[in-house]
Each structure stands twice: as C-alpha cells, then as structure tokens.
Amino acid sequence: MLKTAQQYVDSLRALKIRAYIDGERADGVVDHPLVAPHVNAVAKTYELAHVPEHREIMTATSHLTGETVHRYTHIFQGPDDLVKKIRMLRLLGQETGTCFQRCVGLDALNAVYAITFEIDRSEGSDYHQRFVRYLRDVQKRDLMLAGAMTDPKGHRARSPIEQTDPDQFVRVVERRPDGVVIRGAKLHNTGGINAHEVLVMPGTSLKPDEKDYAIACAVPADAEGVIFIFGRQSNDGRKFEGGCDIGNPRFGVVGGEAMVVFDDVFVPNERIFMAGETAFCGTLVNYFATWHRANYGGCKGGNADLLIGATAKMTRILGTDRNAVVRDKLVEMIHMNETTYASAVGASAMGYRLPCGSCMVDPMMANTVKQNITRNVYEIGRLSHDLAGGFLATMPGQKAFENPEIGQFVRKYHTANPEFDVMERVRIGRYIENVTSVTTMVEAMHGAGSPQAQRLAMMGLSAIDEKIRMLERVIDADDAVRDVC
Amino acid sequence: MLKTAQQYVDSLRALKIRAYIDGERADGVVDHPLVAPHVNAVAKTYELAHVPEHREIMTATSHLTGETVHRYTHIFQGPDDLVKKIRMLRLLGQETGTCFQRCVGLDALNAVYAITFEIDRSEGSDYHQRFVRYLRDVQKRDLMLAGAMTDPKGHRARSPIEQTDPDQFVRVVERRPDGVVIRGAKLHNTGGINAHEVLVMPGTSLKPDEKDYAIACAVPADAEGVIFIFGRQSNDGRKFEGGCDIGNPRFGVVGGEAMVVFDDVFVPNERIFMAGETAFCGTLVNYFATWHRANYGGCKGGNADLLIGATAKMTRILGTDRNAVVRDKLVEMIHMNETTYASAVGASAMGYRLPCGSCMVDPMMANTVKQNITRNVYEIGRLSHDLAGGFLATMPGQKAFENPEIGQFVRKYHTANPEFDVMERVRIGRYIENVTSVTTMVEAMHGAGSPQAQRLAMMGLSAIDEKIRMLERVIDADDAVRDVC
Amino acid sequence: MLKTAQQYVDSLRALKIRAYIDGERADGVVDHPLVAPHVNAVAKTYELAHVPEHREIMTATSHLTGETVHRYTHIFQGPDDLVKKIRMLRLLGQETGTCFQRCVGLDALNAVYAITFEIDRSEGSDYHQRFVRYLRDVQKRDLMLAGAMTDPKGHRARSPIEQTDPDQFVRVVERRPDGVVIRGAKLHNTGGINAHEVLVMPGTSLKPDEKDYAIACAVPADAEGVIFIFGRQSNDGRKFEGGCDIGNPRFGVVGGEAMVVFDDVFVPNERIFMAGETAFCGTLVNYFATWHRANYGGCKGGNADLLIGATAKMTRILGTDRNAVVRDKLVEMIHMNETTYASAVGASAMGYRLPCGSCMVDPMMANTVKQNITRNVYEIGRLSHDLAGGFLATMPGQKAFENPEIGQFVRKYHTANPEFDVMERVRIGRYIENVTSVTTMVEAMHGAGSPQAQRLAMMGLSAIDEKIRMLERVIDADDAVRDVC
Amino acid sequence: MLKTAQQYVDSLRALKIRAYIDGERADGVVDHPLVAPHVNAVAKTYELAHVPEHREIMTATSHLTGETVHRYTHIFQGPDDLVKKIRMLRLLGQETGTCFQRCVGLDALNAVYAITFEIDRSEGSDYHQRFVRYLRDVQKRDLMLAGAMTDPKGHRARSPIEQTDPDQFVRVVERRPDGVVIRGAKLHNTGGINAHEVLVMPGTSLKPDEKDYAIACAVPADAEGVIFIFGRQSNDGRKFEGGCDIGNPRFGVVGGEAMVVFDDVFVPNERIFMAGETAFCGTLVNYFATWHRANYGGCKGGNADLLIGATAKMTRILGTDRNAVVRDKLVEMIHMNETTYASAVGASAMGYRLPCGSCMVDPMMANTVKQNITRNVYEIGRLSHDLAGGFLATMPGQKAFENPEIGQFVRKYHTANPEFDVMERVRIGRYIENVTSVTTMVEAMHGAGSPQAQRLAMMGLSAIDEKIRMLERVIDADDAVRDVC
C-alpha cells in the first residue's frame, strides 16, 4: 500500500500521457531534464514513508480500512493529523528545498470527501459513497494526484457565463447516460505532468444558472483528450546545461506547474463527484483553499530553512559571520519563517470537525499563514540577497570556471575566506539565485489564492459586529472609574 | 477554592500594604482612582471562573490535589493546558480591554515549580517540596500573585557585581538560621500593588561569584520593609476627572505597574525557593520568559479585538465604512492580530515536557509571538489612528461637551453620521486614544523582555549548523539533473 | 516690519478673544498653562528672525514692497524660497521640538494669493487686488495667521448640501451690501487660539449648487461671534502640575489645535476673497494641501532630530550605546527622518510657476513626503521606545522623586550609568513619552490631509497612461535581440 | 564632440578586446546575443543627446573648453548639473527599461577629478593637470567609460595586506620609469565589456603600509593583459532563443556586468592619477559612492515607471483595473518610486562645492536614496507580482504559443479581457518576470555599495552629539511651563 520511490517512477513511466514541454511534444516526461527534478521531489515523498524515523508523520491509518496509508492519501481525522501534515511538509521542504507537489491532491481529496457528504445529505445523491470507493483505490495504489482547480477565468470581472468564451471555466459540454464530456483547462497545476490522476474541481462559487460549470471528477492522466502543457520557469534553460548553475539540480525549484487542457474529455459516472450542484461550489473551493493555505507554513518553512542555511554558510565563506548586524538579519529571516510555521501549527491545533467527520483547520489562522507568506518569502529572499552579496548578480557561469584560459582567474577572484573551496561559494550562490527566482516568489504569492483572496476570507471571518459588541460592553458602562465590586 | 470577585477585593482591602501612589502615601489602594480600574480587571478573572460557559478555560484540575482550581494558579500539565491558557487570555482581553495582571504570577509559579525540581535533582536540596507546599496554599486560597523579576539593572553593560551600586539587582544582605534578608527593587511589576503576594525571582543569568543575587522567594505584600511605588501612566490625571476622557474607565489601560522596594526584608526559610544556585538562574529566567512571551498572542489579541471593534464602529459613525480601502485596512489590523494569536496557539500545541513533568511552550514559536507583538501592536494602533481620524488629537474634553455655553457647538460639530449619538463618537475616540497611548505601546514593546531579548533567544535556538547541513545534503549531490531513481 | 517675540506676545495679550480652554471660558490665553507652551513656540519664530545667522532663512524680501518681511508672511517666488522654507522648518523644529504653528497661515496666504489671481483672470472679479492689500498689511504687521480649512464634514460620504445639518461646512447664511454673515466651524486649527487672524478657506471641492460654501475670507480673532475652543492633548493635565513630567515644558507638543466656531460672524467685503466661485475650491484646497504636505519633511525632521538625540542620549545613560544593533536602530531612525527631509527639499527644488507668478512645489513629491510621514513618525517613535526601555511606561512621576520617604528609592533604582544624573534619565524619558504621544502621532497622520488624501492625489498625478505608452515603446519592438544600430 | 549611436557602436566594433562570454572566448561583443541589448542601451544615451527636446538634460557645457559635451563626460558644476543628471537618468530609465551603464564612468571621472585636485594641493603632485588632459580627451571623443572600483576582497574581515592572496585587491606589482604594472581584478563592472576605457580606482580606504593598492589609472579596454569575463544573468539563456520570453529584448535587464582581470597590465605614467597616496583612498571611494548612490533615484525611477506601466496595463488586460484595492497597490508602487526620485533631487539640490570647485550631492540624502532603493525595488516588484497574477510563474514559452498543435490552446486559455490580444499579456508578463529577476534585484541591492555601507555612512554623518545638544537646549530649561517672554 506504500509505493517505493522506484515504484512511483516506474508507474509514471508506464503512463502514456500527451505532454508538451518546452513547446514541443514529449514522449516521456520522467527523464526530461525540465521535469526530472520535479519527479525526484515527489519520489522523495514516497521514499521517506519507508524510513522508520519518519513513518509517524509520513504515514497514517486509513479511517476506511484501518491499514497504513501514505499521509498524502489520508483524510484528516483530527487536529493531530493536521499538525502532522504541517510537520511532514516542513520535513519534506528541508529534504528537497522545493515543492513536492502532492499537497494539492491531498487537500483536493479531503475537500471532495467533505463536500460530497454535504451534497448527499442535502440532495439525497450518492456522490460520497462513489467518492469513498475512488478514495479506497487511491489509498491502495498510493497514487499521486494533481488537484486541478484554477480556471483560466478570462475577464476577471465577469462570471463564467458572462465570458465571451464560455470555455474559460471547465464545463460539461455533453451529458451521456454513462458520463459527461468536459471542456476547458486548468492552470497552474502543481505536479500536473507527473501525477497519475487529475482531480478536477470547480474553481469558484457559482450561480444557479451556471450548472454546467459545477463539475468535480477524477480523470486519469492518460485519458483521451487530456493534454499537459508544461510551463516555463525562471532559468529553466540551465537545466539543459547541467552543472551547478541550475541551483537545485536534483529537486528543481517550485512545483513543475503545468496547464492541463480538457479537449472534450469523457468522464464515466463513477468518477463524477459533483455535476450541477452549484450551491456547493463556494464551500468546496473554500474547504480546499483553507486547508491549502495553512500548508505554506510547513513547506515554505522547510524551504526557508535551506535558504537560511545557504545564507548563513555564505556569510562564513565571506568572513562576515561574526558581524552583529549580519547575525541580526539572519535572526530576522528565522523570525519570519518561524512565525508562519507557528501559525500553521496553530491553525491545525484549532482544527474543528466538519459534518463528514473530518477535520478543518481554523480558517482565520490558515488565511493569516498564507497572507504572511506572500510577504515574508519576499523579505526572506531580500535579506538573503543582502547578506550573500552582489556576486549573485554578476557571477560567471560554470563554463567559465571550467574554461582552461580563464578558469584560474574566476576561481582565484571568487575565493573569499580561503578555508572554503571557491566552488562551494559558487554553488550556494546559484542555489540562492534560483530558489529566490521570480517563479518561486510568484508561486508563494499566488499559490492557494492571491493575497486578496485571503483578505476577503478574513473580512468574512472577522466578526466585526461581535467585536463592536464586546467593545460596547466594556465602555458603555459608567463614564467614571467604577467602585470596585 | 475559587474566590469570587468580591472576596478578592475584600481580601485586598484587608491587606495593609505600604504603598505610594501619585507620589504620596496611600492608605488603601483598592478604591484609589488610579488603582481601582486595575483591581476591577483582576476581579474579572475571579468573576469569570464562576461563569459556567467559561469554566472550562478559566479553571483547571490541580495535579496536586485533583480539585478544581483557578487556571491562574495551575501548573501546566500538557499542550492542552497551554492552549487553554491562551484562549483564557484572549477572552479576558476581550472582557476588559486591558491587562488583567495575573499572568506574571502564573508563569512565575510554573517557572519556580520547574526550577526547584531541577535544582533538587542536581543539588540534593528540598526546594521543590517546599515550593509545592506553598503552591498548595496559593491554589487553596486562590491568591493573586505578582511575579517580580526585573531588576533595575543599573549600567546595562555590567553584571550585578560590576555595578557601582551593588543593590541594582535584588540580593541577600544577611543570612540567618531562620531565613534571609533581601535588599533591592523589582521594576515594572504588573499588578504589583493589588496582589496578595510577591514572588521574587532572579532577573538574569548569574556567574558563580554572584551567589547573593541568586534568590527566589515569596514575600507577602504586607511584609515589613516592602514598599510599593505606583508608576505613572499616560493620561493618568484623567482618572481623577472621571468622565469619558479616561478611555477605559472601568478597567484602565495596561497593568497598573508598580516598583516594589525591598528595604531589607526578612524572608523565612519556608518561603525561600532558591538561594545561591547561580547555575540555575539563566534557566529560570528563560522558562519564565518563554511561557510569558507566548501569552501576548492571547491577551493582546483580545485587547486588539476591542480596538478593531472601536475602529470599525468609528468608520460607521463617520460614514466611511463602505470604502474598500478602509475595509482593507481593517483586514490588515485583523490579520496582524490573528497572526500572533495563531502563533501563540501553535507554540502551545507544540509544548514539550520538562523534567518536572510540566509543559513548556515551543521556545522558538513563543519568541516569534512576542517579537511580532513589538511591531504589530504599533501598526494596529497606527491603522486605528488612520481610520478614526484627526479628531483623536484635537477633540475637546468632556467638560466642553457639558459646558452650557459651548456644549451645543462641540456636540453639533462633532456629530458625523447623525444616526449615531455624538457621545458615542467621543467615547470611542477617547477609548482609542487611551489604549494606544505610550504606556500601552511600551508595555507591548518591553513586557516579557525587550525585542532584542527575543532575537538573542531565537539566535540561540536557530540551529544554524543543522540548517547548513540540510542544505548541503540537498545541493552537494551531483551538479546535474540526476536520473530519477 | 519684523515683530520681536515680546511684541508678538504683547499683541496677543491685547486681543480680547472669546476662548474656552479645558472646557471653561478663559480670560486670557497667553499665560494659561495649557496654551503658554504653544505661544512660546510661535514666539520662537519671531525671535529667530532677529538672529543674524538665521536671517537668510527666517526672512525674505517682499515681492510687493521690496522690504524685508518674515518668511512666514512671504509669497514663494521660486524654488529657492521653497527650499528655504523647508530649511526654516527644520531649524524651528530643532529649536522647539514641537509645532510652531505658522505654516498653516503661510500656506493659506499663498493659496489664496494664487487662487484669487486665477478667479479674477477667469471671472473678471477683483479679489486678487483686495487680497494683495490684505497681504501688505499682514506683512507690515508681521501677523500670526491661523489658516482654517477643515470643516466638521458630518457624514463623510455626503457632500455639504447632502448633510442633515447644513452647517457641517462653513457657509454664508446672509448676504449684505457691505459683506456676508458666515456660520459653521473649522476644526483642528493649529495655533488657532494664539493667532491674530483666522484665514478661512473652503475645505473641499464643491459643486455648482453649493455656492454658499465657497467662502474664503479673513476674520480677526476677536471678531464678534468667533469662539475658540481649545482641544485636549494627551497628558495635558501634567501642564498644571509643572515639573518634568510635562515632557517639553517650554514648548509643549504639537500645535495647540483649537476649533473655531463662527456663530453668525459678519465679514466685511474687503476681507472676502472668494464668495460663490465653486469651480475654484478644489484648486484652492489642492494648492494649500500640496504646499503644506511638503512642509512635514522640514518640521517633523527637526522634531525627530531631538527625538533621535533623546534616544541616543538614553542609550548612553543605559550603557547600551556601543551595541551594534542599538546603533543600527538609531541609523534606521535617522534614515527615515532624512528620507522625508530629502524629499521635501526635492519637491521644493522642482517647484514650478503658477499663473499668478508664485511657485508651487512638485505635487507628486510633496504627497510622498506626507505619505511617508504618516508611517515614519510612528516607526521612529517605535524604535525610540525600543531603545529607551520599559521605564517609559512605568516610571513614577516627579512627585515621587521629590517625596522625602521614597525619593531616595526611586532615585537610587532609576540610576543607570552612574556617570549620569538620574534626573537626566527621567527628564528625557518624559520627553520621549510626550513627543510620541497619541496627540503627536495623530497630528502627523492627519495633518495636511489623511493618508488616503495623499494617495488619491498621487493616483491623479500618476500619469498611468503615459507610463503604459513608455512601456509599449520599449517592448513593442521586435521580439528578438535587435541588431545594434 | 557628441558621438552618434552609430559612431559609438562602430568605435566599439573597432576595439579588439579580449572577452569571454558564456564561458567562451568571443571575437566580437557588439553583436553577441548576450551583449547586444546592453550595447543598445548605451547607444540610446548617445542617440538622445542629438534629440533637440532632450538636449538640455543630455548635454552640458564643458567647464574646460566651453564646448557642448555629453553630460556623461561632464564635471558637475553645481546643484543644477546634479539635478539634471537625475532627470537624465529617469528619462533614460524610461527609454530603455534597464541600466544604461555610463553612470559609473561619469561618477568615476568626477571622483578622480576631485581627488587629484586634493592630492596635489596636499602633496604637491601634478595628478590633477594630468587628469584634466585625460578628461579633455574623454570629452572630445565622447567616450564610454567603465568605472572599476570593486575588488574581489577575499576574506571580508581582512584588509588587503592581511589576505592570504595579495591580489584580492588590484595592486601595483612593478614600478617602471614610464609607468607601473598592475595585477588583480575588478568585479561587477557595469558596461565593462562595451566601454572604450576602464577607469580604475581603489575600492576601499587603505592604511599607510598598503601603498601598492593605492592606484588609480585609466586603461584602454584593449590594452595588453586586460581580460573581460562576462557574468551570467537570470534567464540569460533566453536571449539565444529570441522571442518575447527574453523580457526586454532590445535593451536587456541590468547593466551587462563583467569582471575585468588585470593580468599584469602596464599603465603609462600619463594615465596614472594616484599611485601610493593611501590617505586619499577613503575620500575617493566616498566621493564616488556618494554621487553614485543618489543616481539610483533617477535610473530606478525610470525603470519602475515602465514596471508600473506594465503592471497597470496587466490589470486592464485582466479586468481588475477598477478595483479600489488594486488601484491602491498601484499607488503604493508609485509612492515608493517617487520617494526615491524626490530624495535624489533633494540630494542634488543641496549639493555643495568641493575644494576642486565641482559639486557634491548632500551625502546624508544620497545615502537615504540608495538605502530606500534596497527595499523599495523589492517591494515594487512584489506588488507587481501581486497584481500581475500567478501566470508569471507558470506561463508556457513562446514556442508553445507558436506550436501548431497546442498554440490554439495556450492562446485561448491565456486570453483574459478579450479586448486585448493574448500576446500583449504574454509579452508584458515576460517583461515583468525579467525586470524583477534576481539579477535586477541584487543589482539594486548591492550596486553603489551594500545596504550596510550606506548605514555606516549615515552613522558617520549623523551628528548625534549635535542632536543631543539641541535636545538639551530645549529641555534643560526650567521643568515648568515657562512664562511667555
């Protein structure tokens, strides 16, 4: 029930998906230089589930079967599960320095699990049972799922049916007795190109007349009509070069985001978990986003641990590590990083029970986590640049270091504290450059919803009227210092 | 075992302490206009323990006796206790809009409980047993304790024995068979003047030759030689005026800090919990400070709820409440407030077991809470000023509103949205002015240690070397995109 | 033509205004403990004009008469005048540590000078000539003017004629052959109570049917029907106590703001400078506000110099002045302060000629100055609190230091570095407390318009379309690296 | 005397320099895809000097000859020249969206001009006359100069002679009657590879026994032993692809930084402007850095204008441009940008006369400019990412848009507001990605000195003692409200 890393990779190789990478049709994705690092990162999630010391946080006991499953296929049973998820994310972030991509699928599984229960309870449908069958299979086969929520959205001030192009949100274009045909695309799908399945969800709340857009379903990655188009990343070209200029050669940066196009894809009934229940779409999106927003305190925490380590090491290489102001800036990086981690743990510890019995993070706290991430990740990167020095911007590439004519010069003149090998400095410099690249930053900014999405959620959760009432209780007493008791 | 508010006040009236308020000897403190609001705030902690809906978080089961005790006298038994403490603080912050003062005593009880265990284990002494006896009494009588840690400190770059005046840190000046005599002062004692007892602790780590300064003991507030000198607060004079200009007439602002002078005070042996064990002072200070730093996410959270409520109400009175940017600023206030609350919960949920069996918050997380407080409280105040408007700075006082000649004008020209009574605006304006005063802000800045104290703690906890090792594991692989598995 | 400080004070004593201070009718304002410090601050502006080394920046040559006049009555003739104004403000800020109040009148004179020219040019009226006569008199008598712009405004989402109470903006209630009668109030008038004249201007742009509100005129402070009501300040009560607890005993904090009520005041024709020309009100407000916003880089710069000095001195008293992080925080205070000063100079240096021939600051730059002030003043205060220490919040008052029983203790235990007298620490602590009080902060926030007013101005000045065109010129070239030349 | 753009490019082609680009020896640099954009940016500086409307700010009158010269070869004669420089930088920043590289040479010319005067005055040498001859030639031939100041520096806590490798700072290794031989390298040389000459200066203050390191001289780019090694930039590989993925195809991003190695280069006497005068090195570095720091308010201001334009255009394409919070974020970008521009103008307007007669910017103000840049450029980039959306991180490349199989899908699903062509969105997205890349950010952080360099300068300029004296003058008066006059 727990795949090994090798089994994951083998199963991926066996899938014959239609994928375009770097603008061209790719026959296999696993070994493509642009994709392999992302596969390695996911493989690490499988690998660590078999490491005894990590088993407690990497695995869980299925509430369906009582068997041990990967935590990445588990339905959250309580605050303890949620806290362990955050701890797992920090560990994986430390082990890979990047995004390991399975969180979207995990939170999607949980969101669909919860919403199907609520739809059935209200509508008398049988989506939940259907989904539980699907979930059992996911747990049994330890699948990697790509959750797919973000529609292209077209004109942002218009709803799905107001768009000039009706396909700007994924929709049902045909209904058949045995299933439906869907059309559209989902963007920014983390790990999209190296997942076994795509779990499609609506990406926005919908009005009653937008039934065609209320579709949740599971689609095998190699289903007919499914097309994956891999996105570009900052400095992606360096992966073809090899060498330390890549930054994080083994695991890459960010999540290997892909757009997936549904070019009229047939989905059989047993894989449909919502079809027309517009009233539940807002809640589904909200469930998913809330869980997902808390995650960032974990994974980005682990990633930042490495960036802080890289920056601290760089100050030793430069010989600035004993300077009090330098140290204070490292503390600031740590402080910001631990703030979001602490909040994510807090959000998890205050988890509450949903109607289906699973456990939701505290929504206000989860939103603060992500909101802080949209700032702190930038500021941590900025401080790293401050301490690491200007050579991040001007350092020659690996080819120069290897060139027989100038290699001696670039090595000589990039040696700082001679106790450290010059290539350590270079490699760490490239690491910092690449993990603070625009692709990484923008993912931190917009993943799990843009900053404004969190702010709107917070406003909705703010209970302003209750705060006003509390104030009035305190001050609407007498206007004078009251006698005590 | 749970005092009522009235019993607390009565017991305070029965104490004959030597106190100076507003620079003059005060016969009784309870009804003094400068102190009464602080007594009211503490009384609220007693009152709520009797309210059924709050009993779960206001009380606890004593691990010593199995009986119900006030949470403010309880030894933290696990993360659940710590989380409940944070929730209690937020509730009390919402109910009073100010500091309710018992946290210092609570954390001091816990710190001395833990350190006496560790001293005894190492030194073979019997402080812990002695302290447990004391603690039973505190729980039984539901005492209000003032923890006293902060020494005057003299020249900050010098240790206790390097000071020109040896009394700049509380010290033992005489040893007798039945006890010791102490001299010195403790500053910034929250609730100092309206507590039953003062729990004295060393305020810094000490070197082996500073044994005289390693003194922890409990002193009754009315012991011979104990002098309380009440500090000034911003706008304290308004409490003599009465009226809405006070801001928070019933509960005041901040914690009624007092300095306590030990003018050669005798402490009998059974009340001494450390005397000379310098090696344990750093840990004691650290235990206390770490618990205490997490608290600020609770109490300041509750206080900020009222400030946010006040600000939101003001925007309704002004008619600006529908403006999107105004609403966004309210969200920012909420976001900052919930960030520290979430972190405090996180720090609590990650609590770990100390040698004595009680539970310590996660130290890194606790320090982030307080560090954020030293910024967020200011920024929340700033945004409140932004939204509440310039009249905070120029509004005439209550006497003007009541003056028969000009009352009509000040009322007329301070009426904003006529749906609201002008005095609502005035009262809330004064509330905002006073809860964002310098006294309040500085307490948020320096309570539980200055910002730099938290940063030094974070640096100590940062595990930089481990972060560097984790980085090296990730990048010291091959310099190329590795083959997957 | 240049009054001495004594002449200013004498002329003020000779004025019999109707004033209410502390909610009560005051016979004379000059020597009232709540007002005297503000009079002292204005007196300093008169005094320094006679000091040879300051003459260049404190005085100017009248473009009307060629004679030397006080810069505070001068029409800005070019960028050099504007830069000198900023330098004068910084000097005065350093000499008083507070607001010296004459800027509002100065900028009002300039605004009315400019707008009357433009009205006449467009409407064929003769306001400008009338105003020049008035201005000559102001220059000749070296008058202190209170500019009065801010109306009460009632419901903020409603225009003047939409208000329930039509008097929420100053308006003409009667027109006579020889003048008009005005009714209403102006709020937040800096130096209002110790000025010779009130220069009334509309406070908002107006629509054509709001003619009654388009009134600009000069009113003697002792005119029939004019009532001054002095506002409260944080810690104002301490001025009655005397002693160092006041903070800045000689000059006070902020500008002695007063509301002025026009209880049906008759204004003769020669003192009317606009009456009904609604189309020009927006520009008038804009002119005034733009000049005024740049000022804050000067006066707050001077004030912050003293606060930085106070904080630096405190670190020496505490013995923390050699700590690198402490020093870095002082640098941050300086950096923020010099940023706004530099911007104010920049705004002045880029001044451009108005139709009337006088010189307007660069509007975008002027708005950035004020916008930064609304943040930096708070942050500078916060850092001051950080470095000055917790005793700001808890220090006993002067009476305690003088008390025969406890004076010895409070002195002993507030002595830090024994090289400094304890009262130096106390006095500086009180200074910091009072110059960072809510009244001061809110003045920095809302004076010359709320933060959002500056942002709306910036949006209007932003030339976004031009920025887009510039971008398109750069990128709408070929999509490839172009051959060079 | 004013080269055309074509003449600049031709003269560059005629130079036979030894250059390594992308780790390989390059025969010509002008047309190399990695360099051509930077050449284009410099060419623009030559081009605009011939455009009548820009002549006033692009050219100046030589104080040596009275002839019209390019402002980029001009010695600053007064504040007006300095302000015009800042305006020129903003214009060029708007015209290119990148660094145009000639500022380093300009400020180096001015710094060496000033310091040679001061050395001669003190030492009786004749460097200044020698330099003036050189300068006349530079002006006459309108040369592009690369100022070279930053040494590799080795171990940062060690001075030049303390280094293990004595070549970590450029030094004289041989003295001959007709000149000297220098060895070492200079890093981060903006425009280094496409300049006519390299103007070498010491990069740090030196001690008396470090005479060999006190060398300033001019070296032709094609001198024997000079080797240029071009640095990598984020996304540099895309320049080989062509297409809109480059971001700013015509002008590139940042300044085409190169390291220059002096592999025992002979410099004849007439090109030596300092050789051994260690006492003047600190001042030289300081002069250069101070002028240079003010520049960033100009060039980055122009660059940010385009980024703000790009972001604003993107909000129109997305359909979010009417949202109040979106607009407020644009205002914030503008506000930060105009703050640094205003400060740079202020620093220039307050310029003062150096001993040699030229004009130095106000040092404190200049340092605030650069210090703010190290923050604001990041925050402006962050807000741009916020508003531009997540597709910055995941958008497929140009090849995907052109691919016959998937081009239709990527175009369809990246179309937002259908009024705009999808390729507009893509091109602007790539522009934002590339101008906010790490290379750009780090240049803003470290160019003209790291943040801490500015802070140390500010501390040195802070006049803390004077601030303390000013404070004491204000508060050391009586402790009471003083009688007025």
Side-chain angles (χ1 to χ4, degrees), chain C residues 386-408:
Chain C
D386 181 349
L387 298 182
F391 95 124
L392 290 185
T394 69
M395 176 171 49
Q398 173 146 329
K399 281 160 68 179
F401 283 89
E402 293 169 353
N403 182 297
E405 295 163 44
I406 56 168
Q408 55 170 317

Side-chain angles (χ1 to χ4, degrees), chain B residues 20 23 156 167 188 232-235 238 241 245 318 374 378 382 385 394 403 405 412 433 446, chain C residues 20 23 156 167 188 232-235 238 241 245 318 374 378 382 385 394 403 405 412 433 446:
Chain B
Y20 293 80
R156 265 57 174 179
D167 302 337
H188 316 316
R232 291 207 78 160
Q233 295 190 338
S234 298
N235 295 323
R238 296 187 189 174
E241 304 171 11
D245 292 349
L318 294 172
T374 69
Y378 281 78
R382 194 185 74 85
H385 293 178
T394 68
N403 181 296
E405 295 164 44
K412 173 183 176 82
E433 180 191 6
H446 288 284
Chain C
Y20 293 80
R156 266 56 173 179
D167 302 337
H188 316 316
R232 291 207 77 160
Q233 295 189 338
S234 298
N235 295 324
R238 296 187 189 175
E241 302 172 12
D245 292 349
L318 294 172
T374 68
Y378 282 78
R382 194 184 74 84
H385 293 178
T394 69
N403 182 297
E405 295 163 44
K412 174 184 174 81
E433 180 190 6
H446 287 284

Side-chain angles (χ1 to χ4, degrees), chain A residues 255-289:
Chain A
E257 274 76 16
M259 67 182 285
V260 55
V261 177
F262 301 97
D263 188 21
D264 291 0
V265 174
F266 174 72
V267 185
N269 285 335
E270 68 270 19
R271 285 177 157 269
I272 298 173
F273 311 126
M274 169 193 272
E277 292 78 6
T278 52
F280 294 86
C281 291
T283 301
L284 171 56
V285 172
N286 190 39
Y287 280 175
F288 171 81

Side-chain angles (χ1 to χ4, degrees), chain A residues 238 245 390-398 400-401 406 410 414 430 433, chain D residues 20-23 32 34-35 38 187-193 228-237 239-240 253 255-260 439:
Chain A
R238 297 187 189 175
D245 292 349
F391 96 125
L392 290 185
T394 68
M395 176 173 47
Q398 174 148 328
F401 282 90
I406 56 167
V410 295
H414 283 91
R430 288 296 176 207
E433 180 191 5
Chain D
Y20 293 79
I21 305 171
D22 195 25
H32 193 292
L34 289 178
V35 180
H38 304 295
L187 304 185
H188 316 317
N189 299 294
T190 299
I193 207 164
F228 295 96
I229 303 172
F230 199 66
R232 291 207 78 160
Q233 294 189 341
S234 297
N235 294 324
D236 48 4
K239 290 180 182 166
F240 294 102
V253 293
E257 275 75 16
M259 65 183 285
V260 54
T439 306

Side-chain angles (χ1 to χ4, degrees), chain D residues 364-377:
Chain D
M364 177 63 91
M365 293 182 179
N367 276 289
T368 71
V369 173
K370 181 66 217 312
Q371 181 74 191
N372 278 316
I373 287 287
T374 68
R375 302 167 181 181
N376 292 7
V377 163

Side-chain angles (χ1 to χ4, degrees), chain A residues 92-299:
Chain A
L92 286 165
Q94 293 170 337
E95 292 277 335
T96 61
T98 189
C99 172
F100 21 91
Q101 309 155 50
R102 291 181 75 181
C103 303
V104 186
L106 170 61
D107 295 334
L109 282 176
N110 273 274
V112 177
Y113 181 87
I115 205 70
T116 51
F117 181 90
E118 295 180 33
I119 296 174
D120 289 1
R121 195 179 55 169
S122 165
E123 309 297 317
S125 47
D126 66 345
Y127 291 125
H128 192 62
Q129 191 177 353
R130 198 187 272 180
F131 182 75
V132 166
R133 273 194 299 271
Y134 175 73
L135 175 61
R136 282 172 180 269
D137 184 56
V138 167
Q139 290 187 337
K140 188 169 158 201
R141 294 165 59 207
D142 198 2
L143 294 182
M144 151 80 171
L145 265 75
M149 179 169 270
T150 311
D151 297 285
K153 293 198 290 285
H155 191 302
R156 265 55 173 180
R158 296 178 191 155
S159 74
I161 57 168
E162 293 168 358
Q163 300 288 335
T164 306
D165 175 358
D167 302 338
Q168 290 292 343
F169 293 73
V170 168
R171 65 183 178 124
V172 172
V173 290
E174 189 188 342
R175 287 186 171 71
R176 298 187 198 161
D178 55 344
V180 300
V181 174
I182 62 173
R183 180 188 300 160
K186 292 287 185 179
L187 303 184
H188 316 316
N189 298 294
T190 299
I193 207 163
N194 48 311
H196 303 103
E197 299 255 331
V198 179
L199 187 47
V200 178
M201 297 164 289
T204 186
S205 52
L206 294 170
K207 283 170 287 187
D209 56 353
E210 296 174 320
K211 283 196 172 21
D212 290 345
Y213 296 96
I215 176 71
C217 58
V219 179
D222 58 356
E224 179 75 23
V226 174
I227 307 169
F228 294 97
I229 303 171
F230 199 67
R232 291 207 78 159
Q233 293 189 339
S234 297
N235 294 323
D236 47 4
R238 297 187 189 175
K239 290 180 182 167
F240 293 103
E241 303 172 11
C244 74
D245 292 349
I246 303 178
N248 184 350
R250 191 162 172 210
F251 297 115
V253 292
V254 214
E257 274 76 16
M259 67 182 285
V260 55
V261 177
F262 301 97
D263 188 21
D264 291 0
V265 174
F266 174 72
V267 185
N269 285 335
E270 68 270 19
R271 285 177 157 269
I272 298 173
F273 311 126
M274 169 193 272
E277 292 78 6
T278 52
F280 294 86
C281 291
T283 301
L284 171 56
V285 172
N286 190 39
Y287 280 175
F288 171 81
T290 305
W291 275 313
H292 207 54
R293 284 169 191 167
N295 293 353
Y296 280 71
C299 61

